[in-house]
């Protein structure tokens, strides 16, 4: 397995570093790359006076660990941010694979079966929509194999050692998105149920004791981000009601898409210029890739059916429960009774709305298929070595073919990246603003997302460059209801072409703004935002 681990490292890290060298992906928060120390410092408090006229932060606290410290170390060592970012991406792939290697060993698969399972789980299209845009979402995917394996060891061996290791994993991957970690947690819970009631390898009392230890330690190491969610829920703007809706999330959750590791709504959308996810075009329009996408799970099931394996029901349950929950309330207008319950929960409670992105349970589906493949390869190798290895080679080839973006260098798409070195005029403007005042900077016109002529950052770069408070209208609302309404009102007048210039100074003064930052380098045609030249002609009149 040591040789397999080395090959897995080469297959994950090398392609990551060959993906768009020199470009920084639009991943998570831009100030992770511009000023990670400032991000860590601001995340220590749930109230941030420097963003959106003051706001209860959304998700920032989750970057206290591990992404914030990781990128702070990268910055302190003067490592290029794109290099640090590619190492981060490669590590997510690598630990996903080694975790399933470790899990497959606990489940009794042979070394060849472990390789099959680990490869099938690692190289899944599920990661495409997240890893270059919000990689924190795939951290639970990367840790899933470790989570299940550590629960198995906790139940079998007792004591506090393995529950403590499980809690360490939760501390590493659980902070940014509660939905992702809670849905991933269903996999180890399923194994406990299977071990107690199906294989009956452990007594219920022993399993319960292990679960209690795991629950206590995991809750303790999660208090820091749970407290953040509590503070945001009590004092912050209910951001969930201003982002994607339940009909939007469920509109693409077809079981056929979930089976091939896809189905998340963002994978299928586009702005006025191009798809949000460039790789989606091939997955939706290229016949051979569509065929490969369905061939992978089909082979996993067919090969897995050949094995007499005591945990086959567990793997099948992962697939079935994962697909059912991922499909959720689709179709929204006429869901199943179960989907109706999910739809009602999302419509009537904040917790239900927070859990609307049920597609993030897809790693369970991928893991179930991977374990079925591993069990089948183990059985075939045991019966006839050459046949088993041949099936393994074919399966690995199919799995690799199902993830072209990793091999052709497009995992970081051009519409989700920027040069590591910012344009000189941007850094000069930031330097000027940092030395000519302390009041808030008001950026106009507003933007849905920060798509500049020189690159894409998702969030405006100014939050990571300025030592002054900064406010600008964005698609994700930041602030309190009154300040958000004020900002929306002035920016909508700009966007709609009914802006009255004489209102700018009084509104800016209400915002405690000392400077106006006019940005004419936005890709206005992408989201049909204000044209820079007409606005500039209005602004130059004293």
């Amino acid at each position: 397995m040591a040789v397999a681990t080395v090959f897995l490292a080469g297959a994950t890290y090398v392609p990551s570093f060959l993906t768009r060298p020199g470009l920084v992906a639009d991943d998570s928060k831009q100030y992770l790359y511009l000023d990670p120390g400032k991000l860590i410092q601001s995340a220590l408090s749930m109230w941030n006076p420097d963003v959106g006229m003051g706001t209860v932060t959304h998700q920032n606290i989750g970057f206290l660990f591990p992404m914030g410290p990781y990128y702070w170390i990268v910055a302190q060592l003067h490592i290029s941010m794109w290099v640090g970012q590619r190492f981060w991406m490669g590590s997510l792939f690598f630990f996903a694979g080694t975790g399933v290697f470790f899990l497959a060993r606990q489940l009794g698969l042979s070394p060849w079966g472990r390789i099959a399972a680990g490869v099938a789980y690692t190289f899944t299209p599920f990661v495409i929509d997240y890893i270059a845009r919000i990689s924190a979402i795939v951290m639970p995917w990367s840790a899933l194999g470790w989570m299940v394996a550590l629960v198995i060891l906790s139940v079998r061996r007792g004591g506090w050692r393995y529950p403590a290791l499980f809690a360490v994993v939760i501390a590493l991957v659980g902070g940014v998105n509660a939905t992702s970690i809670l849905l991933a947690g269903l996999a180890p819970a399923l194994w406990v149920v299977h071990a107690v009631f199906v294989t009956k390898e452990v007594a219920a009392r022993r399993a319960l004791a292990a679960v209690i230890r795991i629950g206590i330690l995991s809750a303790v190491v999660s208090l820091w981000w749970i407290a953040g969610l509590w503070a945001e829920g009590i004092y912050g703007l209910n951001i969930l009601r201003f982002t994607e809706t339940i009909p939007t999330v469920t509109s693409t959750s077809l079981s056929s898409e979930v089976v091939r590791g896809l189905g998340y709504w963002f994978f299928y959308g586009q702005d006025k210029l191009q798809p949000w996810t460039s790789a989606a075009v091939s997955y939706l329009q290229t016949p051979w890739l569509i065929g490969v996408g369905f061939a992978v799970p089909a082979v996993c099931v067919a090969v897995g059916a050949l094995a007499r394996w005591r945990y086959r029901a567990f793997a099948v349950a992962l697939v079935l429960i994962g697909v059912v929950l991922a499909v959720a309330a689709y179709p929204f207008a006429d869901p199943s009774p179960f989907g109706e319950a999910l739809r009602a929960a999302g419509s009537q409670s904040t917790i239900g709305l927070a859990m609307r992105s049920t597609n993030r349970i897809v790693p369970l589906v991928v893991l179930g298929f991977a374990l079925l493949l591993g069990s089948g390869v183990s059985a075939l190798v045991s019966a006839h070595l050459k046949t088993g290895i041949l099936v393994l080679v074919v399966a690995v080839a199919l799995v690799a073919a199902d993830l072209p973006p990793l091999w052709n260098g497009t995992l970081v798409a051009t519409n989700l990246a920027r040069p590591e070195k910012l344009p000189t005029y941007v850094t000069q403007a930031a330097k000027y603003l940092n030395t000519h005042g302390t009041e808030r900077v008001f950026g106009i016109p507003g933007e849905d997302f920060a798509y500049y002529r020189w690159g894409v950052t998702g969030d405006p770069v100014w939050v990571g460059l300025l030592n002054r408070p900064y406010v600008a209208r964005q698609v994700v609302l930041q602030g309190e209801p009154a300040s958000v309404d004020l900002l929306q009102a002035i920016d909508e007048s700009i966007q709609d072409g009914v802006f009255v210039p004489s209102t700018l100074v009084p509104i800016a003064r209400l915002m405690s703004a000392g400077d106006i930052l006019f940005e004419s380098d936005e890709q206005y045609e992408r989201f049909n935002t204000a044209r820079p030249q007409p606005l500039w002609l209005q602004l130059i009149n004293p």
Side-chain angles (χ1 to χ4, degrees):
M1 286 306 294
V3 175
T5 303
V6 171
F7 274 104
L8 180 68
T12 53
Y13 285 105
V14 173
S16 297
F17 279 103
L18 294 178
T19 298
R20 312 283 190 198
L23 293 184
V24 176
D26 167 28
D27 180 15
S28 303
K29 301 292 183 182
Q30 268 305 302
Y31 26 98
L32 278 171
Y33 317 113
L34 297 170
D35 193 346
K38 180 180 178 181
L39 171 64
I40 295 173
Q41 185 178 15
S42 67
L44 293 175
S45 170
M46 286 301 294
W47 175 256
N48 189 339
D50 295 337
V51 177
M53 287 187 276
T55 186
V56 176
T57 58
H58 174 60
Q59 291 185 328
N60 284 27
I61 192 172
F63 296 105
L64 274 176
F65 187 74
M67 292 185 77
Y70 169 77
Y71 282 108
W72 181 82
I73 292 172
V74 170
Q76 295 305 304
L77 295 177
H78 302 288
I79 298 172
S80 296
M81 274 298 167
W82 81 268
V83 173
Q85 193 178 64
R86 297 307 187 275
F87 184 80
W88 172 265
M89 293 169 60
S91 297
L92 290 172
F93 279 109
F94 179 71
F95 286 111
T98 53
V100 175
F101 283 171
F102 185 55
L103 168 61
R105 179 181 178 183
Q106 309 310 314
L107 296 177
L109 298 186
S110 71
W112 295 107
R114 297 173 213 165
I115 293 171
V119 170
Y121 183 77
T122 303
F123 302 106
T124 168
F126 168 77
V127 302
I128 294 173
D129 212 32
Y130 303 99
I131 201 161
R133 179 182 280 113
I134 181 165
S135 63
I137 296 294
V138 298
M139 288 196 294
W141 161 78
S142 184
L144 185 58
W146 297 102
M147 291 167 60
V148 180
L150 290 171
V151 165
I152 292 174
L153 291 171
S154 298
V155 172
R156 287 176 178 172
R157 301 186 183 182
W160 289 89
R161 178 183 178 184
Y162 293 106
L165 290 174
F166 182 92
V168 170
V169 173
I170 294 298
L172 285 169
V173 304
V176 175
N177 190 275
T179 302
S180 297
I181 193 64
L182 289 174
L183 291 174
L186 291 177
L190 277 174
W191 183 87
V192 173
V193 172
H194 185 272
V196 172
F197 297 104
V198 180
T199 61
K200 299 182 180 180
E201 61 190 271
V202 293
R205 178 175 295 182
R206 183 181 182 88
L208 180 60
V211 169
I212 290 174
R213 294 187 189 102
I214 290 171
I216 291 172
L217 294 178
S218 298
V220 169
V221 300
S222 302
L223 286 176
W224 59 283
W225 61 263
I226 293 175
L229 289 180
W230 171 83
E232 181 189 344
I234 297 295
Y235 300 106
L237 194 68
N238 190 350
I239 193 68
L240 297 173
R241 297 194 177 278
F242 300 98
T243 52
E244 62 266 26
T245 63
I246 296 177
T248 298
V249 171
T250 59
S251 63
T252 57
S253 295
L254 284 76
S255 57
S256 56
E257 291 296 272
V258 171
V259 163
R260 60 180 187 142
L262 304 174
Y264 186 55
W265 68 277
F266 215 89
F267 191 79
Y268 307 89
Q270 63 180 37
D271 54 43
K272 293 183 179 299
L273 297 184
Q274 63 187 132
W276 295 331
T277 305
S278 300
V281 176
S282 297
Y283 281 91
L284 297 175
Q285 298 181 10
T286 304
W288 74 263
L289 186 54
I290 295 173
V292 167
F294 287 110
V296 169
V299 168
C300 291
V301 171
V303 174
L306 302 175
R308 294 175 61 87
W309 183 48
R310 67 185 311 197
Y311 296 109
R312 184 166 63 181
F314 168 62
V316 171
L318 287 174
V319 173
L320 292 179
I321 292 177
V323 170
V324 169
L325 287 179
V327 171
Y330 178 87
F332 187 78
D334 187 24
S336 65
F338 177 71
E340 180 66 37
L342 290 176
R343 185 176 69 173
S347 303
Q348 298 172 11
S349 71
T350 300
I351 294 177
L353 185 59
M355 297 296 292
R356 67 197 183 283
S357 295
T358 54
N359 186 266
R360 291 171 187 170
I361 200 175
V362 168
L364 269 70
V365 179
V366 179
L367 179 60
F369 283 132
L371 292 176
L372 287 173
L373 177 65
S375 67
V377 169
S378 292
L380 287 170
V381 168
S382 177
H384 193 276
L385 179 62
K386 291 184 178 180
T387 301
I389 293 177
L390 177 61
V391 171
L392 171 62
V393 171
V394 172
V396 168
L398 278 173
V399 169
D402 199 25
L403 193 59
L406 181 62
W407 316 116
N408 62 20
T410 60
L411 195 63
V412 176
T414 53
N415 67 329
L416 290 174
R418 65 164 174 86
E420 178 156 355
K421 185 177 181 181
L422 300 179
T424 302
Y425 70 85
V426 171
T427 55
Q428 287 178 341
K431 182 179 179 180
Y432 174 87
L433 289 168
N434 284 334
T435 56
H436 288 77
T438 58
E439 303 91 346
R440 179 171 284 111
V441 176
F442 178 27
I444 59 173
E447 55 198 355
D448 288 354
F449 299 97
Y451 278 75
Y452 302 106
R453 296 292 171 191
W454 46 268
V456 180
T457 63
D459 297 314
V461 294
W462 305 104
V463 178
L465 297 175
L466 298 177
N467 56 24
R468 302 168 57 178
Y470 174 79
V471 61
R473 198 274 306 172
Q474 301 173 53
V475 71
V476 178
L477 306 180
Q478 298 184 88
E480 299 305 297
S483 63
V484 167
D485 286 345
L486 178 65
L487 181 59
Q488 292 282 101
I490 183 66
D491 190 68
E492 283 183 8
S493 70
I494 294 173
Q495 302 290 350
D496 295 342
V498 295
F499 170 59
V500 178
S502 61
T503 63
L504 182 59
V505 170
I507 295 296
R509 284 177 175 158
L510 282 174
M511 296 179 179
S512 298
D515 287 284
I516 303 294
L517 177 62
F518 168 67
E519 297 187 85
S520 59
D521 60 350
E522 298 174 2
Q523 297 181 29
Y524 59 83
E525 66 276 17
R526 186 175 292 274
F527 299 109
N528 199 29
T529 51
R531 271 49 176 173
Q533 188 174 24
L535 179 58
W536 174 247
L537 293 176
Q538 290 180 302
L539 294 176
I540 59 175
N541 188 338

